[in-house]
């Protein structure tokens, strides 16, 4: 057994541009300042080959750094960070602008290696908390365990089960309200030991490859994720329909059954956008084929579904059936697209179709071929692709996956499966995503994946695989999805109702309530389990499902704007409370409630027979979405939660763009194809909140033209002053949603305004060309100036506005709410609710 070696003392150091190189007896350590808050550290050992997986963005504008040497230390100043490099032995310490220690190599550790294993130990303060690491079981805070990065189809998901399908070696650390991140850029089997080996240190190490990590400084967790998104890529906007409700089953079979399920949704007035076809749609599990008995006329089926407003997503697994008469297999053999053993024999593994071969997605030419294979599916009308089993999962073998000696890569650039394994799913979704993009240029691809790696957000949505219909898994979905979000993946969800085992009504009701506020909302269940459609558990549960699915659709404009924020700034729409309240110790481990955006707090019930639950409300005032009751935050409340109630709170000062009560049938395909009908802007003014903003984002919902600037951003602003409430709407961008009127509802007004004045706003309307921290959508600018000239009184209506194309306002004393309609204008608009007579 090799002995652990530590990095040792620096023999010589030098500086080129923003990179410092330190030579030790073990190799060279390179430290590069990519940005004032982003430091890359690499340990280069003799004879090592660089990984080049296009996982990270290395295109950073050069920044200026200052370097100082004192006897035993080299100090680097980036403007935001001070990095002190101890020379004997080599140790890194990171300090903030106020010279407070953020983190440092462990005094007895630092960079180490043993044979091909390589890693780094860091000091672990007793009060530091850890998040991220992708898809893991357990609670929100990752501290105290050793976690493994090795994509595995591991069942069932017990509290101790690790690893699962996704590996995302990104750690978000939070201490006393201040955050930093570590991204370990290494695809080999790797480990994050967060205090298991010793209680005063944490470490990350891999069984091969390089020690290559990025230190990202906050102190705001949003800033860490912003940089992480710049480094590993951001999620493109999903097609709007992918945010709607989706129904799946392993498997809906045959075609008539699919139609029957789809029809039931429409008959029962339950909105849904997508229906999934699991493995039985294929001819004996041959990918890119249709079962001739069950699905004799796929085009006709998909047409009929499209007429009902349904999109179809089909599953595609990586294993290609070994069958001489099967064209995909034949093409793969003649093109030399499959993975091979070092001796040239193709690798064969047992999966659904029996013995199967596995495409080598690490090669660009193979990805191209695979992408092209989707042509017929798309021509038949398939809207999106679901990639499963792509860990890859292999039956009846000890490691549940491919042999580690199998070779990937072009000649001369070969890599073993041990190095490529964690990337296999990522590369498969890349092939799928890029294929869909080529086949349907200009349209947003939709890919759903089980397996992935850091950066998976660039190509796919992620669902958390085979959970079970257990209350424990309803509870676990929250920390799992929250940490996936903190690992840079915004479009995530768990199988609603649970996949394995038999679901039941109470569980389904509670799960659909949670699912309505998860980014990706899909019900799915396994073969041989009880049916799990919204109507499967009797009329009471059906009514609850209908209500919460409709609520999902109401919140779509809000969700959609949050996905814009995810695209622009890498911020997750579903977020733990610590995201917005990092200095509040209660939030550090809180994972049975969460935020959607900054303005909505969701506290699902996750145990049976509950009609009350404890809800922690953080600082500020919170408003019960259902009752409009107001609560002072900073403490727990016991909140009523009978079976049909999901506790839901709105932050005082919030602005929520919501769909009108009559929800569109589908997210992506209402009459104008953009889902904008019936938008209502809800304002929740509060005297304690002087000003708040929300960036409403709109576009065509399906094309890529937003990347060329075809979108509309409306900056909504709400401010409270002595004399009244000001609301302003500032539009920027060149997408026209065809709106003639804005509809507004102002909540919590205990008296009728003396007057409502409407007029032009200041409207600088400037668009920023680049996104820099702090991001525009998170920014709160100075309060709008005095009321501009030219404001006119708006007509007060003594009766509720009836929806005619007419401006006016109506005050409902009982609801304490003001309803307002104002014509849309080209310029910025300002609305002034005069609370005291002038
Ligand atoms: O071995 O395609 O996680 O969602 O329904 C099971 C059948 C293979 C696993 C997926 C699940 C899917 C199932 N698949």
């Amino acid at each position: 057994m090799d002995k652990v070696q530590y990095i040792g003392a620096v023999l010589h150091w030098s500086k080129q541009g923003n990179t410092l190189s330190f030579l030790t007896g073990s190799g060279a350590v390179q430290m590069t300042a990519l940005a004032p808050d982003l430091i890359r550290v690499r340990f280069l050992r003799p004879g090592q080959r660089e990984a080049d997986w296009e996982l990270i963005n290395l295109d950073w504008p050069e920044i200026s750094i200052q370097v100082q040497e004192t006897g035993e230390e080299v100090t680097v100043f980036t403007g935001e960070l001070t990095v002190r490099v101890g020379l004997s032995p080599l140790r890194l310490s990171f300090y903030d602008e106020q010279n407070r220690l953020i983190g440092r190599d462990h005094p007895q550790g630092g960079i180490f290696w043993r044979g091909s294993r390589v890693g780094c130990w860091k000091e672990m303060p007793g009060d530091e908390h850890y998040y991220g690491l992708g898809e893991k079981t357990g609670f929100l805070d990752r501290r105290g365990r050793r976690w493994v990065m090795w994509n595995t189809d591991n069942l069932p998901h017990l509290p101790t089960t690790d690893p699962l399908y996704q590996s995302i070696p990104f750690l978000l650390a939070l201490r006393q309200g201040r955050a930093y991140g570590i991204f370990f850029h290494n695809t080999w089997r790797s480990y994050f030991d967060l205090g298991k080996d010793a209680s005063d240190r944490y470490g990350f190490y891999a069984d091969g490859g390089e020690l290559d990590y990025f230190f990202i400084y906050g102190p705001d967790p949003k800033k860490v994720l912003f940089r992480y998104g710049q480094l590993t890529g951001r999620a493109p906007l999903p097609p709007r329909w992918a945010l709607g409700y989706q129904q799946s089953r392993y498997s809906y079979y045959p075609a008539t059954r699919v139609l029957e399920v789809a029809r039931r949704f429409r008959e029962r007035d339950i909105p849904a956008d997508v229906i999934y076809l699991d493995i039985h749609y294929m001819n004996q599990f041959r990918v890119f084929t249709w079962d001739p008995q069950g699905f004799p006329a796929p085009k006709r089926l998909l047409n009929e579904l499209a007429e009902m407003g349904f999109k179809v997503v089909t599953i595609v697994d990586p294993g290609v059936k070994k069958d001489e008469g099967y064209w995909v297999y034949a093409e793969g053999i003649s093109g030399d697209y499959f993975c091979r053993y070092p001796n040239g024999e193709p690798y064969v593994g047992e999966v659904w179709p029996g013995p199967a071969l596995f495409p080598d997605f690490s090669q660009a030419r193979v990805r191209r071929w695979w992408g092209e294979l989707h042509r017929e599916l798309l021509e038949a009308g398939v809207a999106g692709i679901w990639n499963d089993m792509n860990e890859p999962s292999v039956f009846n073998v000890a490691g549940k996956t491919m042999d580690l000696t199998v070779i990937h890569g072009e000649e001369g650039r070969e890599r073993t499966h041990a190095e490529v394994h964690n990337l296999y799913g990522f590369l498969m979704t890349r092939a799928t995503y890029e294929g869909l993009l080529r086949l349907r240029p200009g349209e947003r691809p939709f890919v759903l994946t089980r397996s992935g790696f850091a950066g998976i957000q660039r190509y796919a949505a992620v669902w958390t695989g085979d959970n079970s219909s257990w209350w424990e898994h309803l509870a676990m979905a929250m920390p799992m999805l929250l940490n996936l979000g903190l690992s840079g993946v915004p479009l995530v969800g768990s199988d609603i109702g649970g996949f394995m085992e038999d679901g039941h009504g109470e569980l389904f009701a509670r799960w659909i309530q949670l699912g309505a506020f998860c980014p990706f909302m899909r019900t799915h269940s396994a073969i041989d389990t009880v049916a799990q459609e919204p109507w499967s558990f009797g009329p009471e549960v059906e009514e609850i499902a209908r209500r919460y699915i409709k609520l999902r659709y109401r919140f779509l404009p809000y969700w959609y704007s949050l996905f814009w924020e995810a695209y622009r700034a890498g911020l997750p729409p579903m977020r733990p409370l610590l995201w917005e309240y990092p200095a509040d110790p209660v939030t550090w481990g809180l994972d049975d409630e969460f935020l959607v955006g900054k303005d909505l707090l969701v506290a699902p019930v996750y145990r049976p027979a509950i009609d009350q639950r404890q809800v922690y409300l953080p600082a500020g005032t919170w408003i019960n979405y259902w009752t409009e009751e107001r609560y002072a935050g900073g403490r727990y409340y016991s909140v009523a939660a009978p079976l049909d109630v999901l506790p839901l709170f709105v932050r005082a000062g919030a602005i929520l763009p919501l769909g009108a009560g009559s929800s569109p049938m589908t997210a992506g395909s209402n009459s104008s194809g953009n889902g904008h009908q019936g938008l209502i802007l809800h304002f929740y003014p509060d005297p304690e909140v002087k000003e708040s903003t929300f960036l409403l984002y709109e576009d065509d919902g399906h094309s890529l033209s937003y990347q060329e600037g075809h979108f509309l951003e409306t900056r909504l602003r709400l401010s409270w002053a002595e004399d009244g409430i000001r609301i302003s709407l500032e539009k920027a961008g060149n997408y026209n949603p065809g709106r003639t009127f804005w509809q507004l509802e102002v909540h919590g007004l205990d008296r009728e305004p003396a007057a409502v004045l409407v007029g032009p706003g200041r409207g600088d309307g400037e668009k920023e060309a680049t996104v820099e921290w702090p991001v525009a959508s998170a920014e709160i600018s100075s309060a709008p100036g005095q009321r501009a000239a030219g404001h006119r009184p708006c007509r007060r209506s003594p009766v509720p506005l009836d929806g005619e194309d007419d401006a006016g306002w109506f005050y409902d004393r009982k609801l304490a709410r003001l309803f307002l309609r104002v014509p849309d204008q080209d310029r910025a608009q300002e609305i002034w609710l005069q609370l005291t007579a002038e």
Side-chain angles (χ1 to χ4, degrees):
M1 197 55 156
D2 300 315
K3 240 182 82 215
V4 174
Q5 310 275 328
Y6 291 97
I7 183 77
V10 174
L11 307 171
H12 170 80
W13 73 274
S14 62
K15 173 181 184 287
Q16 290 117 345
N18 286 349
T19 298
L20 272 64
S21 301
F22 302 91
L23 193 68
T24 78
S26 304
V29 173
Q30 255 184 21
M31 192 178 98
T32 307
L34 296 171
D37 53 5
L38 178 63
I39 308 287
R40 182 181 193 183
V41 179
R42 289 174 72 185
F43 172 36
L44 305 165
R45 300 161 70 196
Q48 212 170 38
R49 260 198 317 167
E50 195 181 334
D52 179 19
W53 294 112
E54 299 171 29
L55 288 171
I56 46 174
N57 164 24
L58 288 174
D59 189 15
W60 299 85
E62 179 130 348
I63 58 157
S64 81
I65 59 169
Q66 261 110 57
V67 181
Q68 253 175 33
E69 181 172 10
T70 57
E72 281 127 47
E73 249 181 28
V74 172
T75 310
V76 178
F77 303 94
T78 67
E80 276 187 49
L81 278 176
T82 303
V83 189
R84 298 213 186 116
V85 185
L87 297 177
S88 188
L90 177 76
R91 296 275 187 274
L92 303 183
S93 313
F94 297 86
Y95 294 82
D96 70 8
E97 305 95 319
Q98 282 130 52
N99 220 19
R100 279 181 304 209
L101 181 66
I102 306 163
R104 62 173 175 182
D105 289 349
H106 192 274
Q108 280 91 48
I111 298 175
F112 70 92
W113 54 283
R114 187 174 86 185
S116 60
R117 175 171 284 187
V118 61
C120 184
W121 289 110
K122 303 235 171 223
E123 202 168 65
M124 188 170 87
D127 56 352
E128 194 158 86
H129 303 271
Y130 301 101
Y131 311 99
L133 298 187
E135 183 186 56
K136 298 286 175 200
T137 59
F139 297 101
L140 189 67
D141 188 349
R142 302 288 189 214
R143 194 182 162 104
R145 281 175 70 172
R146 182 174 58 213
W147 305 93
V148 181
M149 297 291 160
W150 186 254
N151 294 348
T152 312
D153 179 4
N154 241 338
L155 291 180
H157 303 170
L158 301 177
T160 48
T161 305
D162 181 61
L164 289 178
Y165 322 92
Q166 298 257 340
S167 293
I168 305 184
F170 170 69
L171 187 70
L172 181 71
L174 182 69
R175 184 173 178 227
Q176 296 169 357
R178 292 194 298 273
Y180 68 89
I182 300 271
F183 171 51
F184 183 24
H185 178 222
N186 182 307
T187 66
W188 294 71
R189 182 194 288 266
S190 56
Y191 309 83
F192 279 77
D193 183 323
L194 306 181
K196 178 178 161 123
D197 187 71
S199 60
D200 68 338
R201 66 180 192 182
Y202 75 87
F204 44 93
Y205 49 91
D207 285 347
E210 255 185 38
L211 176 72
D212 179 11
Y213 76 89
F214 295 80
F215 177 92
I216 313 174
Y217 174 53
D220 188 337
K222 297 182 183 103
K223 183 159 163 276
V224 179
L225 264 286
F226 175 79
R227 279 288 183 229
Y228 176 76
Q230 281 187 323
L231 192 59
T232 62
R234 300 202 184 116
L237 274 180
R240 196 177 165 97
W241 56 261
L243 301 182
Y245 177 71
Q246 325 201 12
Q247 181 70 41
S248 184
R249 171 80 178 174
Y250 169 25
S251 303
Y252 287 127
Y253 182 95
T256 48
R257 171 78 183 131
V258 181
L259 285 168
E260 185 188 312
V261 171
R263 253 182 240 119
R264 286 253 199 139
F265 274 94
R266 298 306 179 237
E267 282 160 15
R268 290 169 179 255
D269 182 33
I270 300 174
D273 269 275
V274 193
I275 194 157
Y276 281 68
L277 300 183
D278 206 328
I279 50 176
H280 294 95
Y281 80 90
M282 293 181 270
N283 182 4
Q284 292 172 357
F285 309 131
R286 289 177 184 84
V287 285
F288 307 108
T289 68
W290 294 88
D291 175 62
Q293 272 84 50
F295 293 83
K299 238 186 195 145
R300 211 170 63 212
L301 168 69
L302 270 60
N303 249 332
E304 257 182 83
L305 289 166
E307 272 162 26
M308 283 190 262
F310 274 96
K311 305 272 190 249
V312 171
V313 173
T314 51
I315 200 166
V316 174
D317 291 350
V320 173
K321 187 176 177 66
K322 185 166 190 271
D323 166 6
E324 311 289 328
Y326 167 39
W327 56 282
V328 179
Y329 173 79
E331 277 187 30
I333 291 292
S334 69
D336 188 19
Y337 296 142
F338 295 123
C339 296
R340 296 174 177 279
Y341 285 106
N343 68 6
E345 283 295 307
Y347 170 78
V348 181
E350 186 100 14
V351 268
W352 291 112
L357 280 70
F358 290 77
D360 178 12
F361 297 114
S362 75
Q363 299 186 45
R365 63 186 192 96
V366 179
R367 290 199 296 270
R368 241 197 128 77
W369 167 66
W370 190 260
E372 180 61 27
L373 292 174
H374 294 80
R375 182 178 294 276
E376 280 180 39
L377 286 177
L378 298 201
E379 278 170 7
V382 167
I385 300 294
W386 170 20
N387 283 158
D388 185 25
M389 302 289 284
N390 50 352
E391 294 70 31
S393 179
V394 177
F395 297 160
N396 311 324
V397 293
K400 301 185 178 195
T401 194
M402 218 179 248
D403 219 303
L404 299 192
T405 61
V406 165
I407 298 296
H408 298 262
E410 286 92 5
E411 231 185 288
R413 298 174 47 88
E414 291 98 342
R415 311 266 175 177
T416 63
H417 189 65
E419 179 173 357
V420 181
H421 176 79
N422 280 338
L423 282 178
Y424 194 82
F426 172 93
L427 293 167
M428 181 188 190
T429 62
R430 178 173 176 186
T432 308
Y433 181 89
E434 291 174 351
L436 297 190
L437 207 53
R438 277 192 300 270
L439 292 167
R440 259 191 325 225
E443 286 295 309
R444 297 175 202 173
F446 176 74
V447 182
L448 175 67
T449 187
R450 194 169 73 174
S451 182
F453 192 72
I456 189 65
Q457 66 271 10
R458 279 142 62 178
Y459 306 119
V462 169
W463 102 103
T464 58
D466 299 347
N467 59 4
S468 304
S469 295
W470 297 337
W471 288 102
E472 289 84 349
H473 277 184
L474 166 48
M476 191 175 71
M478 288 184 264
M480 204 184 250
L481 298 175
L482 290 169
N483 272 317
L484 268 166
L486 294 180
S487 307
V489 191
L491 188 49
V492 292
S494 294
D495 286 346
I496 293 173
F499 176 73
M500 299 194 300
E501 313 300 335
D502 294 322
H504 55 91
E506 185 185 1
L507 180 70
F508 187 76
R510 292 307 193 182
W511 214 318
I512 203 105
Q513 290 170 356
L514 165 65
F517 290 94
C518 292
F520 176 69
M521 187 188 186
R522 185 185 75 152
T523 296
H524 183 47
S525 56
I527 198 162
D528 291 333
T529 61
V530 298
Q532 209 158 260
E533 286 89 42
W535 51 83
S536 302
F537 304 103
E540 186 192 359
V541 172
E542 178 180 340
E543 184 47 40
I544 292 170
R546 180 182 298 107
R547 178 171 182 199
Y548 283 90
I549 295 172
K550 286 191 170 181
L551 191 63
R552 165 65 170 214
Y553 281 81
R554 275 200 87 191
F555 273 89
L556 270 190
Y558 183 63
W559 277 110
Y560 201 59
S561 298
L562 295 177
F563 273 92
W564 177 241
E565 192 182 59
Y567 168 67
R568 295 260 292 174
L571 312 185
M574 179 188 184
R575 43 185 82 156
L577 270 66
L578 66 89
W579 182 259
E580 303 287 346
Y581 305 88
D584 178 351
V586 178
T587 68
W588 298 341
L590 197 62
D591 58 15
D592 65 350
E593 52 180 90
F594 58 90
L595 297 168
V596 174
K598 65 185 191 316
D599 292 328
L600 194 68
L601 188 148
V602 186
V605 171
Y606 51 91
R607 292 183 54 82
I610 295 275
D611 59 10
Q612 295 251 13
R613 72 153 278 183
Q614 292 289 105
V615 179
Y616 180 71
L617 298 174
T621 298
W622 292 84
I623 300 154
N624 185 318
Y625 176 81
W626 304 110
T627 64
E628 307 249 342
E629 268 172 282
R630 297 171 94 86
Y631 297 76
R635 51 164 285 206
Y636 275 93
Y637 288 90
S638 188
V639 174
L643 189 59
D644 61 342
V645 173
L646 164 70
L648 210 53
F649 293 86
V650 179
R651 197 181 54 82
I655 305 166
L656 298 177
L658 303 183
S662 61
S663 63
M665 208 49 164
T666 64
S669 53
N670 59 24
S671 53
S672 75
N674 59 23
H676 292 302
Q677 272 78 359
L679 181 75
I680 298 179
L681 308 176
H682 292 259
F683 294 84
Y684 292 84
D686 186 278
E688 298 295 301
V689 183
K690 291 301 166 216
E691 176 160 332
S692 52
T693 64
F694 186 84
L695 193 68
L696 170 68
Y697 174 80
E698 297 167 286
D699 65 16
D700 69 13
H702 65 92
S703 83
L704 289 167
S705 64
Y706 70 94
Q707 296 178 355
E708 273 83 60
H710 297 286
F711 56 79
L712 182 67
E713 279 180 329
T714 308
R715 176 72 47 93
L716 309 171
R717 187 175 273 134
L718 171 65
S719 55
W720 183 286
E722 291 301 297
D723 55 352
I725 294 165
R726 283 198 181 74
I727 288 169
S728 70
L729 319 173
E730 280 171 43
K731 294 194 293 183
N734 58 11
Y735 172 73
N736 179 3
R739 177 178 293 118
T740 49
F741 280 84
W742 288 100
Q743 304 190 74
L744 288 73
E745 292 187 22
V746 184
H747 293 246
L749 277 189
D750 54 9
R751 63 198 133 133
E752 179 163 333
V756 175
L757 303 174
V758 181
R762 293 167 314 147
D764 28 15
E766 288 287 299
K767 279 226 47 62
E768 290 145 84
T770 55
V771 186
E772 260 310 318
W773 185 263
V775 283
S777 55
E779 179 189 300
I780 294 185
S781 75
S782 61
Q786 277 306 303
R787 181 159 57 92
H791 278 54
R792 292 159 189 281
C794 183
R795 181 180 70 96
R796 175 179 173 277
S797 166
V799 292
L801 300 163
D802 59 6
E804 280 167 31
D805 278 357
D806 194 10
W809 61 274
F810 170 73
Y811 177 73
D812 187 321
R813 187 172 310 276
K814 238 172 81 202
L815 292 176
R817 200 180 304 179
L818 180 96
F819 299 82
L820 180 70
R821 284 167 63 83
V822 294
D824 181 35
Q825 272 160 21
D826 291 341
R827 305 152 286 167
Q829 280 169 270
E830 206 171 277
I831 298 154
W832 186 42
L833 310 185
Q834 191 187 316
L835 291 184
T836 50
E838 265 190 335

